[in-house]
Amino acid sequence: MPKTNKAKKDKGLVLVTGGAGFIGSHLIDGLIEAGYRVRALDNLAPPTHNNQLPEWFNPKAEFMKGDVRNRVDLEKAMAGVDYIFHLAAHMDYHMDFSTYFLTNTASTAMLYEIIMAKKLPVKKIIVTSSQSVYGEGKYKCKKHGIIYMTPREESQLKKQEWEMKCPHDGSAMEPVPEYESDELCPQIPYGVSKMALERTALLLGKIYSIPSVAVRYSIVHGPRQSFRNFYSGALRAFSIQALSGQPLSVHEDGNQIRDFVNVKDVTAAHLKLLEDPRADYEAFNIGSGEITTVLDLAKLVAKATKTKYDPEIKGSYRLNTPRHQIMDISKLKKLGWKPKYTLKDNVDQYVGWVKQYPEAKEYLAKSQAALKKTKVVL
């Protein structure tokens, strides 16, 4: 008998809010590849977008233009869905503080309101949070042990004294990895709104038996990361500077520790959390688990762009920005996920992609001017 091609089993309809964005568009690709039908809701608003659907949006996904703050838009998008990934967010540091809570927190509560009001049979909701919820995080003093630290004072930063000091004796402290069970101490409005988002989702999920998961991203890298917004993107800024023949402008002394994870690893983590019931009603860190300095990143960008490594270190800094952030990912790895991509992969993939967009140089200049004007960068 002739062989017949078996059709992929339909795994259900997934709503991805913020689905035209960087992480959302990669997640949609992964969901479709895994056999899900996908609907995206996105308002395509600046600065991330330019009011147009990006060319890389998967044509196999359904697109709905709308805003997660608008109940009518959200109800339409949620009709008939089996699963929800809530990625839409107001990010970075801007002066419209209320927008963080309307976009990030209130929209999350509205998801559960609509489910209960419409009696929707949603099987799982995954909400996206951030490493920002940890704030400065934990440090270890040789004498006084583990201490949750507050942000460095501007007076300290002005002296270019970058490292954290023990509040009891002024001695140097060692950064400690962030665990999901840690105390949450966000220090910017974005982080506070994300902490509230997590708690809202996990609380309402438990009360109404709607399996819910919160994920905390470290710094995600990869193609499609918007070149219109450079607030939290050292890779983006370094890449455009190098490709434009500018020196790589490094904040503080460049020895800040960060965790950089590839967007494809993030997509794989999302699929694992969607399909594994052990994840229900829990929060998970998603990162690389690797210790990397900002200067390490700058060196790889210089190599990828074939430019001279000669970083510009003038002692600039951002207020309320953690000195070090180390993310522990052992909880997620216990479910069978682990990162596959290296920092070099991240850099090579992004540089190769952003070369196609020479207009990125103009956006970088505008972003840098805005950050200085609002005194986010000093």
Side-chain angles (χ1 to χ4, degrees):
M1 295 180 63
K3 292 182 179 180
T4 57
N5 293 325
K6 290 185 178 180
K8 275 188 177 180
K9 181 183 177 182
D10 178 11
K11 294 184 177 180
L13 177 60
V14 183
L15 170 64
V16 180
T17 71
F22 164 46
I23 298 175
S25 66
H26 282 280
L27 173 59
I28 286 174
D29 291 345
L31 287 166
I32 290 172
E33 178 66 23
Y36 293 92
R37 291 174 289 116
V38 182
R39 175 183 297 151
L41 176 69
D42 202 302
N43 65 4
L44 304 178
T48 301
H49 298 286
N50 61 350
N51 295 309
Q52 296 180 5
L53 190 64
E55 60 190 0
W56 53 80
F57 184 78
N58 196 314
K60 294 182 180 179
E62 176 190 357
F63 178 76
M64 295 179 66
K65 187 173 182 180
D67 196 311
V68 293
R69 294 169 294 183
N70 184 305
R71 190 183 187 95
V72 173
D73 291 346
L74 205 51
E75 286 185 355
K76 287 180 180 178
M78 292 171 65
V81 304
D82 298 290
Y83 308 98
I84 298 172
F85 281 93
H86 189 32
L87 274 65
H90 187 55
M91 301 176 289
D92 307 328
Y93 196 102
H94 305 287
M95 304 310 286
D96 54 338
F97 307 126
S98 62
T99 307
Y100 292 103
F101 299 92
L102 293 170
T103 306
N104 303 344
T105 312
S107 67
T108 300
M110 203 185 302
L111 289 174
Y112 291 85
E113 278 185 19
I114 293 170
I115 289 171
M116 299 309 297
K118 300 284 186 179
K119 296 182 171 56
L120 302 180
V122 174
K123 298 174 184 176
K124 183 176 280 192
I125 300 176
I126 297 179
V127 297
T128 54
S129 184
S130 162
Q131 194 171 31
S132 181
V133 298
Y134 294 112
E136 187 63 60
K138 301 177 299 187
Y139 288 76
K140 184 176 182 180
C141 172
K142 290 182 179 179
K143 183 177 180 181
H144 298 97
I146 300 295
I147 301 174
Y148 284 89
M149 296 297 292
T150 56
R152 295 163 291 173
E153 296 289 342
E154 186 173 2
S155 57
Q156 177 184 340
L157 297 172
K158 281 183 176 179
K159 297 176 188 175
Q160 298 191 11
E161 295 175 357
W162 308 122
E163 296 298 342
M164 301 302 294
K165 299 178 181 179
C166 176
H168 303 295
D169 61 18
S171 62
M173 304 184 75
E174 177 186 349
V176 177
E178 298 159 342
Y179 291 84
E180 290 88 347
S181 57
D182 283 354
E183 180 180 338
L184 303 184
C185 306
Q187 56 199 43
I188 58 174
Y190 169 70
V192 177
S193 72
K194 284 294 189 178
M195 179 180 71
L197 171 158
E198 289 188 23
R199 291 181 174 174
T200 298
L202 296 179
L203 174 66
L204 293 176
K206 285 181 180 179
I207 291 174
Y208 297 108
S209 299
I210 305 168
S212 301
V213 182
V215 296
R216 299 169 183 166
Y217 299 139
S218 64
I219 299 171
V220 187
H221 282 166
R224 307 177 190 170
Q225 193 165 23
S226 178
F227 51 77
R228 298 181 179 89
N229 177 18
F230 289 86
Y231 173 86
S232 58
L235 173 56
R236 287 177 280 180
F238 288 166
S239 298
I240 302 308
Q241 287 170 339
L243 292 169
S244 304
Q246 302 174 29
L248 308 189
S249 180
V250 176
H251 291 166
E252 300 187 15
D253 61 357
N255 289 312
Q256 310 94 298
I257 293 173
R258 294 291 184 266
D259 183 305
F260 302 110
V261 64
N262 192 285
V263 69
K264 293 181 181 179
D265 285 327
V266 172
T267 294
H270 282 149
L271 289 170
K272 165 54 71 174
L273 294 170
L274 176 64
E275 297 179 346
D276 195 326
R278 293 175 296 172
D280 295 354
Y281 309 110
E282 296 285 343
F284 292 87
N285 291 337
I286 303 181
S288 69
E290 298 292 328
I291 291 177
T292 306
T293 69
V294 173
L295 288 178
D296 292 333
L297 176 64
K299 289 175 185 176
L300 285 174
V301 171
K303 186 174 182 180
T305 55
K306 298 179 181 178
T307 56
K308 182 181 179 181
Y309 173 66
D310 186 18
E312 183 178 73
I313 303 175
K314 293 184 176 180
S316 60
Y317 57 86
R318 289 178 179 170
L319 296 176
N320 296 314
T321 295
R323 171 59 177 173
H324 300 300
Q325 290 190 296
I326 305 172
M327 182 166 272
D328 182 274
I329 57 171
S330 58
K331 183 176 180 180
L332 184 52
K333 289 174 77 173
K334 287 178 182 177
L335 297 185
W337 169 90
K338 65 179 180 179
K340 297 180 179 179
Y341 295 88
T342 67
L343 182 61
K344 183 179 183 301
D345 293 330
N346 298 2
V347 173
D348 290 346
Q349 289 170 13
Y350 186 75
V351 168
W353 177 79
V354 82
K355 282 180 179 179
Q356 306 169 72
Y357 301 94
E359 64 269 31
K361 181 180 177 181
E362 177 185 345
Y363 285 103
L364 174 61
K366 288 181 179 178
S367 293
Q368 290 173 328
L371 291 172
K372 288 182 180 179
K373 183 178 180 180
T374 56
K375 296 185 178 181
V376 173
V377 175
L378 297 168

